[in-house]
Amino acid sequence: MSHFALKRAAVQQQIAEACRRAGRDPAGVTLLAASKTQPAAVLREAFAAGQQAFGENYLQEAEAKIAALADLPIEWHFIGHLQSNKTRSVATRFAWVHGIDSLKVARRLSEQRPETLPPLNACLQVNISGEARKAGLDPAAVPALADAVAGLPRLRLRGLMAIPEPAADPVLRREPFRRLRQLLETLQQNHPELDTLSMGMSADLDDAIAEGATVVRIGTALFGPRPPANPMTGEHPRA
Ligand SMILES: *Cc1c(COP(=O)(O)O)cnc(C)c1O
């Protein structure tokens, strides 16, 4: 087994155990490989080990990898922050976008989604811990945007995404995931087709699964530690 295959088997085992404790079917949790900073060759090895869904944060980096791996049927997810002047690349290259937090971005994605592709799967990003500098919607703003996005012809609204503030205390760690689940349940009264809670990373995936995560976005536990982000730009050194 490759190094990646071993790491992936360990993460899948962890997901299975978290599901067992929560009384959930592991088939209901998708493992999304958060592959920012990893070179295309590493993603190719990961694909060979059975990993099909990859999440990328930085468009330029993602475009290069998508081109290099065009021979593989990878499912590409955009999980970074999306500026409204960069929507076309996401609309034409990705299957999912997790970070929608404005109607402007959503409208542009819908307008730019090619007719030859299925609708773009979309999650609204919620600033669930109420952090001042964090991307995402105030929870109170979510229902109105969900109604608007659900009406866009070339987007398929699937659910909610969040990146809670890290917490050492397990009770505090679970709280924001519970609030995101409750918010999704509220939306499901008007939008019963919503089926996605994109929440949980390497450090908190057990808590996220306990609260109903259907997509966990895992980087470090699959690929090892990343080089630190540039403190001025927040960007990681490019692979
Ligand atoms: C990097 C990243 C992840 C993965 O984080 P790890 O802690 O390395 O598992 C998940 N989601 C988003 C949005 C990310 O940027």
Side-chain angles (χ1 to χ4, degrees):
M1 258 210 234
S2 71
H3 183 64
F4 179 88
L6 288 169
K7 294 259 196 193
R8 183 168 183 271
V11 172
Q12 283 179 318
Q13 182 66 28
Q14 189 180 347
I15 291 171
E17 277 164 23
C19 284
R20 189 180 44 73
R21 286 194 298 273
R24 299 185 54 196
D25 179 355
V29 180
T30 298
L31 172 55
L32 177 61
S35 46
K36 59 176 175 271
T37 80
Q38 304 301 329
V42 170
L43 276 67
R44 188 174 287 282
E45 184 198 344
F47 184 87
Q51 182 63 40
Q52 207 180 351
F54 292 87
E56 289 284 336
N57 291 65
Y58 308 114
L59 263 182
Q60 267 193 313
E61 178 189 334
E63 285 165 2
K65 287 189 229 177
I66 291 170
L69 300 170
D71 56 313
L72 303 179
I74 286 176
E75 182 177 273
W76 293 103
H77 294 234
F78 190 75
I79 62 174
H81 185 251
L82 185 52
Q83 293 161 331
S84 60
N85 61 345
K86 302 265 183 71
T87 49
R88 187 174 300 278
S89 178
V90 171
T92 54
R93 290 179 173 85
F94 287 78
W96 282 74
V97 54
H98 292 232
I100 290 184
D101 62 2
S102 79
L103 185 55
K104 183 176 179 192
V105 164
R107 278 202 183 116
R108 291 177 65 101
L109 287 169
S110 181
E111 283 161 11
Q112 293 166 345
R113 182 68 166 174
E115 287 296 332
T116 51
L117 296 176
L120 179 61
N121 296 293
C123 291
L124 304 184
Q125 184 171 352
V126 184
N127 184 357
I128 199 69
S129 306
E131 292 166 88
R133 289 172 58 251
K134 187 66 77 59
L137 295 153
D138 185 292
V142 170
L145 187 60
D147 289 346
V149 171
L152 294 172
R154 301 294 296 142
L155 292 191
R156 180 174 169 204
L157 182 63
R158 299 295 296 265
L160 301 175
M161 180 271 215
I163 309 170
E165 197 169 18
D169 180 291
V171 176
L172 292 180
R173 226 169 31 224
R174 240 174 107 152
E175 244 309 296
F177 294 133
R178 176 170 312 150
R179 290 200 302 274
L180 198 72
R181 173 170 54 78
Q182 289 167 342
L183 192 53
L184 183 75
E185 287 167 359
T186 303
L187 297 181
Q188 283 169 332
Q189 292 167 12
N190 281 333
H191 303 283
E193 71 284 5
L194 299 191
D195 59 3
T196 300
L197 277 174
S198 169
M199 60 187 195
M201 318 201 307
S202 297
D204 55 15
L205 85 103
D206 291 350
D207 305 284
I209 287 172
E211 292 296 345
T214 65
V215 178
V216 291
R217 307 177 312 268
I218 306 298
T220 308
L222 287 173
F223 298 109
R226 289 179 294 276
N230 179 325
M232 300 306 289
T233 64
E235 296 247 342
H236 288 83
R238 202 90 63 67

